[in-house]
């Protein structure tokens, strides 16, 4: 099939953007499908230093420019609508300019689904959207009252990463048979446990410290500064912060802080001793799934989304806002080598249940089942 994907997507300037989408879409290609990706690029985005590669690319990728006015509520109007309209034009322009052919449209996140729908509904093709947000209710607030419900009902089908999101879709009037619930998964040929010493040498990381890894946007709800605060009382602990964002962690405990291409993430995870993410909300967390696949014990949040991914055999889940609890959980793992080794082995065993190739096949099977309806 010919698949058109509308989503955020990695680039040489921003290799970590939409990595989970990239990994899934590459699997679509491996299954023999022809995939084109349109990933609109904000014309006002700050240029970052380019990397050599964000990974092997099997798709055709277009990055048309659009204008954004941020996401601010002014009375009954949200400025996100300016960016939305600009992206609708960018997608429509790209499809027309390159005479793109496609059998269906697959978008990741509901906002991209709406962009695709309003840009391309004249082509009379089915639209499918992956729902991975932490809450559809929060997303709906940035749109006019009836706009969200009207657009969401025009989708042919949905892929929800959690039962919570599936139930929210049902609350918006989506029939259950139009929803495929499938948690996020990992490419186990890329995310696996490497030799710790070799990875530390490769990235020039200290050999004499226990290392905590954080992967994600540096945002308050993700908690990078809470991780930093939780380790500051320990002389023998350093932290890897893989990502970027406004809440930038700094200090002597930070031994690595950088946004990297997706293929480097499992190498850096393998250099660490424990993964810590005190997040306040998630859809289905790719960073946690990837850390589990690399054999890392997990310290994260006692919220339903994370509890769906983790069990006590390899994780300690705490109040994400309680820095002392985060600190105690880290100490419990780093201070007991036998416990840490057992948790690592349990994580590796658990990861076998979440393989991305099977997920890609299942999603496309669901879509094909809805194709003629």
């Amino acid at each position: 099939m010919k698949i058109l994907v509308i989503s955020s997507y990695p680039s040489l300037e921003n290799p970590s953007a939409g990595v989970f989408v990239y990994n899934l879409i590459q699997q679509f290609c491996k299954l023999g499908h022809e995939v084109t990706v349109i990933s609109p690029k904000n014309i006002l985005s700050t240029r970052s230093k380019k990397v050599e590669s964000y990974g092997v690319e099997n798709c055709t990728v277009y990055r048309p420019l659009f204008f954004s006015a941020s996401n601010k509520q002014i009375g009954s109007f949200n400025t996100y609508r300016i960016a939305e309209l600009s992206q609708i034009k960018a997608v429509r322009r790209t499809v027309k300019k390159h005479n793109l052919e496609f059998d269906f449209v697959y978008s990741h996140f509901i906002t991209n689904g709406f962009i695709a729908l309003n840009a391309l509904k004249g082509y009379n093709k089915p639209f499918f959207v992956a729902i991975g947000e932490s809450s559809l209710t929060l997303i709906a607030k940035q749109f006019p009252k009836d706009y969200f419900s009207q657009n969401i009902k025009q989708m042919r089908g949905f892929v929800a990463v959690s039962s919570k999101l599936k139930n929210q879709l049902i609350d918006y009037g989506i029939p259950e048979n139009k929803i495929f619930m499938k948690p996020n998964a990992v490419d186990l040929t890329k995310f696996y446990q490497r030799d710790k010493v070799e990875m530390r040498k490769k990235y020039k990381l200290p050999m004499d410290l226990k290392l905590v890894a954080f992967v994600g946007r540096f945002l308050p709800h993700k908690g990078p500064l809470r991780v930093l605060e939780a380790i500051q009382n320990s002389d023998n602990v350093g932290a890897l912060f893989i990502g970027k964002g406004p809440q930038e962690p700094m200090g002597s405990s930070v031994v690595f802080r950088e946004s990297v291409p997706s293929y480097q993430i499992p190498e850096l995870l393998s250099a660490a001793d424990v993964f810590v993410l005190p997040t306040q909300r998630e859809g289905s967390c790719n960073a946690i799934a990837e850390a589990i696949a690399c054999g890392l014990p997990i310290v994260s949040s006692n919220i339903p989304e994370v509890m769906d991914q983790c069990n006590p055999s390899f994780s300690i889940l705490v109040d994400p806002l309680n820095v002392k609890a985060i600190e105690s959980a880290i100490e419990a793992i780093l201070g007991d080598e036998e416990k840490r080794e057992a948790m690592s082995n349990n994580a590796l065993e658990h990861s076998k249940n979440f393989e991305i190739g099977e997920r890609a096949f299942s999603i496309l099977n669901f879509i094909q089942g809805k194709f003629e309806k």
Side-chain angles (χ1 to χ4, degrees), residues 326-344:
I326 299 168
E327 180 181 351
S328 296
I330 294 172
E331 289 178 349
I333 294 171
L334 296 184
D336 187 335
E337 185 173 351
E338 185 175 337
K339 178 185 181 72
R340 188 168 67 253
E341 183 69 22
M343 293 179 77
S344 175

Side-chain angles (χ1 to χ4, degrees), residues 25-318:
I25 299 309
Q26 300 308 308
Q27 294 296 321
F28 286 177
C29 294
K30 290 179 181 179
L31 290 170
H33 302 284
E34 182 181 328
V35 183
T36 302
V37 177
I38 300 179
S39 179
K41 178 181 177 182
N42 185 355
I43 197 171
L44 300 178
S45 61
T46 304
R47 276 181 167 264
S48 303
K49 182 180 178 181
K50 284 189 175 183
V51 297
E52 292 183 3
S53 171
Y54 59 81
V56 176
E57 182 57 77
N58 295 305
C59 310
T60 301
V61 184
Y62 297 100
R63 308 179 193 277
L65 297 177
F66 76 95
F67 175 77
S68 174
S70 191
N71 188 339
K72 298 179 180 178
Q73 195 71 35
I74 303 174
S76 61
F77 179 75
N78 191 296
T79 59
Y80 166 75
R81 296 304 306 286
I82 296 173
E84 184 191 34
L85 291 171
S86 183
Q87 289 180 82
I88 288 170
K89 292 179 180 179
V91 169
R92 186 182 297 143
R93 183 174 67 245
T94 302
V95 171
K96 185 175 181 180
K97 177 181 177 180
H98 299 282
N99 195 28
L100 299 181
E101 296 181 356
F102 52 96
D103 297 309
F104 67 90
V105 182
Y106 180 87
S107 302
H108 200 99
F109 290 164
I110 195 67
T111 51
N112 285 320
F114 289 176
I115 288 165
L117 178 67
N118 286 280
L120 305 172
K121 56 187 172 183
Y123 287 79
N124 196 30
K125 301 291 185 179
F127 293 82
F128 297 86
V129 60
I131 307 295
E133 295 89 337
S134 59
S135 171
L136 287 181
T137 305
L138 294 176
I139 300 298
K141 290 180 179 179
Q142 68 190 36
F143 295 100
K145 184 177 180 181
D146 297 327
Y147 181 86
F148 187 87
S149 59
Q150 289 173 354
N151 276 270
I152 204 170
K153 289 176 182 177
Q154 295 184 61
M155 300 294 176
R156 185 71 62 87
F158 301 83
V159 178
V161 299
S162 70
S163 55
K164 182 186 82 170
L165 290 170
K166 177 181 178 179
N167 291 334
Q168 287 186 351
L169 285 168
I170 293 172
D171 289 342
Y172 278 106
I174 304 301
E176 189 170 357
N177 64 2
K178 291 180 67 173
I179 307 168
F180 180 51
M181 204 283 280
K182 191 72 173 174
N184 287 336
V186 178
D187 185 345
L188 298 180
T189 66
K190 296 178 180 178
F191 284 86
Y192 58 88
Q193 190 177 51
R194 276 81 164 170
D195 183 84
K196 185 181 297 185
V197 173
E198 288 183 11
M199 293 303 103
R200 290 196 182 190
K201 287 180 179 178
K202 180 173 182 176
Y203 289 94
K204 298 179 173 58
L205 299 171
M207 296 288 183
D208 59 338
L209 298 179
K210 299 295 184 185
L211 295 182
V212 168
F214 171 101
V215 179
R217 290 276 291 160
F218 300 162
L219 296 170
H221 80 269
K222 291 284 189 180
L225 298 189
R226 295 193 292 277
V227 175
L228 185 59
E229 185 179 352
I231 66 170
Q232 284 184 334
N233 294 327
S234 302
D235 295 330
N236 65 335
V237 179
L240 314 176
F241 288 96
I242 305 165
K244 65 178 182 179
Q247 204 174 59
E248 191 168 350
M250 302 177 68
S252 59
S253 298
V254 180
V255 300
F256 185 94
R257 183 186 65 247
E258 191 176 334
S259 177
V260 301
S262 61
Y263 67 87
Q264 291 183 354
I265 293 176
E267 296 181 341
L268 286 162
L269 287 172
S270 295
D273 297 286
V274 62
F275 179 82
V276 185
L277 184 70
T279 177
Q280 292 177 266
R281 59 181 185 272
E282 292 292 334
S284 176
C285 184
N286 292 280
I288 289 177
E290 292 167 355
I292 293 170
C294 291
L296 284 181
I298 307 296
V299 173
S300 192
S301 312
N302 56 359
I303 58 176
E305 306 94 302
V306 174
M307 293 169 71
D308 282 346
Q309 291 183 278
C310 297
N311 68 55
S313 73
F314 60 83
S315 67
I316 300 177
L317 305 183
V318 300

